[in-house]
Amino acid sequence: MRMHGRIIRGIAGFYDVLLDNGDTLTCKARGRFRNEGVTPLVGDLVEVSVPETGYASLDDILPRSNALLRPPVANIDLLVIVLSASVPKPDWLLADKLLIQAHTLGIEQLIVLNKIDSAKQEISDQFHADYTSYRTLLASSRTGAGLDDLKQALTGRISCFAGQSAVGKSSLLNALFPELDLATGELAKKTARGKHTTRQAQLWPYLGGAVLDTPGFSLFELSELDQDALNGCWPEFQGAYERCRFSGCRHIAEPDCAVKDLIKDGKLTNTRYSRYIEIQAEIDQIKKHRYD
Ligand SMILES: Nc1nc2c(ncn2[C@@H]2O[C@H](COP(=O)(O)OP(=O)(O)OP(=O)(O)O)[C@@H](O)[C@H]2O)c(=O)[nH]1
Ligand SMILES: [Mg+2]
Ligand SMILES: [Zn+2]
C-alpha cells in the first residue's frame, strides 16, 4: 500500500513519517537514495509503501521547495533565528549568516531575542540597532513575554527554530506547547556555552503547520554568492548599492560608495557593516579554495 506523508525525524537510515491520516510510520530509506547521493531530510514530503512483512519503505521524495544544510531540513516557510539577550552572548555573525541563507532560499525570517527577563542592556541595544530592517520579536520562555506574537507568526507555517546552543529554542517551544516536554540544557560553567542538548532536528505538527526544533551549532559554511547576490542579502543596502560609483562595487574602499555613506547617515550600523566585510572575506576564501 502506498501512502503520502512528511518526515518528522530521522535516525540512522530510519525515518518517522507523519502520514496524511495522522498516523506515524517508521520507514527504511530505499538503497537507491544512497546510490544517488540523496539524503532524505526532516520536512521532506514523501511517498511510502507498506509491504506484507518487514519495514515500511521510503520510496520517493517529492520536489523540495527549499533545503537547508545546517540545520539539515527541507520545505521550510519560516526560519526563526533565536538569540539570547543574556547568556550565551549572541553570535551575531551566525545570525547574519542564517539570515543570508534564508534570504537566498526565499524563506521568510523572524529574529527572536529570547531571555529578555534577564536582558543585558548592551545586547538589547545592539539587537534593536542592527535589525531594524527585519521582523523581530522580544520573548522570554520564562515569563511568557512575546509568546502570543510568536504563536501568531507560526500559525499555518512550517517553521524552523535555529541558532546557537542554549539560546532557548527548545524552551520556547516547550513554553508554547507544554505537551512537547522537550529536553532543555544548561550552560557549561567554564565556557558559558551551550551543551548541545537537542541532538536531532525534529518536526512537530501544530497550529495548522509545524514547528521544527533543531540542535544549536557553531560552524556554518556559507555558499558561494557573487556581489549581486550579496547586495540583495542586506535590506539596508536596498536603494543604495545601485548608486555606488562603480557597478561592481564591493563596498570596501572604493570611492563614492553609497553603501558606506549609509553608515554616515545612520542607516547602517558599524557592526552590521563589519560583519558584511567578514562574510564577504569568507566567501572570497571559499571561492579561492574551490578547486583545492
Ligand atoms: N533566563 C532565561 N533563561 C532561559 C530562557 N529560555 C531558556 N532559558 C534557559 O537557557 C538554557 C538553554 O535552553 P534550551 O532550551 O535547552 O536551549 P536550546 O537553544 O534548545 O539549546 P540546544 O538544544 O543545545 O541547541 C536552559 O537553562 C533554559 O532554562 C528565558 O527566557 N530566560
Ligand atoms: Mg534544544
Ligand atoms: Zn559601494
Side-chain angles (χ1 to χ4, degrees), residues 33-65:
F33 289 124
R34 184 175 306 175
N35 301 337
E36 292 167 4
V38 175
T39 310
L41 295 174
V42 172
D44 268 333
L45 293 167
V46 295
E47 301 277 355
V48 302
S49 59
V50 187
E52 297 278 308
T53 57
Y55 278 108
S57 107
L58 199 165
D59 298 331
D60 276 309
I61 301 173
L62 304 188
R64 295 168 175 157
S65 59

Side-chain angles (χ1 to χ4, degrees), residues 82 84 86-88 113-119 139-145 162-174 182-187 194-199 213-217:
V82 184
S84 149
S86 52
V87 280
L113 187 66
N114 187 35
K115 309 199 188 187
I116 53 161
D117 55 279
S118 57
S140 166
S141 71
R142 274 222 180 135
T143 66
Q164 294 154 265
S165 181
V167 293
K169 300 177 293 295
S170 301
S171 301
L172 282 169
L173 288 169
N174 280 340
L182 301 169
T184 61
E186 294 302 317
L187 272 79
K195 292 179 172 171
H196 298 278
T197 306
T198 304
R199 295 277 165 189
D213 191 17
T214 71
F217 47 87

Side-chain angles (χ1 to χ4, degrees), residues 14 19 31 51 71 80 94 96-97 100 113 124-125 127 138 154 181 184 188 193 195-196 200 211 213-214 249 275 292:
F14 287 89
L19 301 172
V80 181
L94 174 67
D96 286 5
K97 288 177 180 177
I100 291 172
L113 187 66
S124 312
D125 289 348
F127 181 84
L138 305 181
L154 304 178
D181 200 19
T184 61
R193 288 208 190 128
K195 292 179 172 171
H196 298 278
Q200 281 266 314
V211 291
D213 191 17
T214 71
C249 186
R275 297 198 300 271
D292 284 5

Side-chain angles (χ1 to χ4, degrees), residues 63-98:
R64 295 168 175 157
S65 59
N66 55 59
L68 303 181
L69 286 178
R70 260 176 186 273
V73 296
N75 300 319
I76 302 304
D77 300 318
L78 174 72
L79 188 69
V80 181
I81 299 166
V82 184
L83 294 165
S84 149
S86 52
V87 280
K89 59 179 194 319
D91 184 340
W92 305 103
L93 188 63
L94 174 67
D96 286 5
K97 288 177 180 177
L98 285 167

